[in-house]
Amino acid sequence: MRWLFGPVPSRRFGRSLGIDLFTRKTCTFDCVYCEVGRTPRTTDCVDIFAPVDEVLDELRNYLADHHDDLPDFITFAGSGEPTLHREIDLIIHGIKEMTTVPVVLLTNGSLLHRESVLKRVLEADYLVPSLDAGCPETYGRINRPTANIPYEKLVEGLISAQRACRGHYILEVLLVDGINTSDEELEKLKECINRINPDSVQINTVFRPPAENNVHASSEETIQRFAELVGEKAVPVAYYTLRGARRQIQGELLESVILKTVGIRPCTIQEMTDSIGVDQAAMETAVQNLMKSGQVRELNFDGVGHIAISAEQI
Ligand code: SF4
């Protein structure tokens, strides 16, 4: 699979088949917590990255092969900001014609202030932009945006998108310990959320190895405190676990699925076992084989081991 990955375990969207429109990281931001790593050069120039026909053909084949095991969601995610794709509207429309599986667009929201960009994403069932800061200074520290997207433009775009959205509009806030977790910052974030008026607010933190070593998850207590401040729209994100049958894939096939999954972002063995739906023992054997051959390595983040692609494989 070139443009699809997973299904991956998503804390927010269950068992989610991912679409990655980029072959290398391409983003308007360079977030300190990014699990894909640092952005080589931030950009706000839209372009055609993945060819529309290739993405849709690949998805059509996947859905035909998995008609009895469909994902819960089809999610634009992966190694960049999907709204940088100038033809994302054609891809979303093509998916909607092909399947009833709901389409989720995870976006950093930075280009939604442009009318042309906003129009392209309105057919998604779930529009899920992010907001991690309540003021320009924190925005600069945590998201490290390209210079062309000042904080007020970001917030304006989030407000316009909420008004135009035809599906569900979910705002995600990611809390990073010591950067956006002070009482003052949480209060400012809450004021912004009130202006944006989303359907719900998913409160997340850092669960995977981030771009910068000095970045850490916020405490559960902080997440809870912020959830209380936000009120009834708050949804603190929980660990995802798969319900359902285990699949019998192993050997080289399982190894290739693991490589594709951790090629997008590091995962724990448990997450991969759940999302791919295989036995834990088969997963452990496959991971050991990939480690022995040097194709994956183990990274430790906040005391939890994650499997990541080896540097030589990137
Ligand atoms: S977390 Fe998302 S928005 Fe931030 S740098 Fe990574 S891909 Fe871009």
Side-chain angles (χ1 to χ4, degrees), residues 25 27 29-31 33-34 39 108:
K25 190 179 179 197
C27 197
F29 286 178
D30 181 21
C31 303
Y33 59 76
C34 184
T39 309
N108 63 23

Side-chain angles (χ1 to χ4, degrees), residues 197-209:
N197 191 25
D199 297 332
S200 60
V201 182
Q202 291 192 340
I203 305 171
N204 207 344
T205 187
V206 190
F207 286 107
R208 294 197 172 81

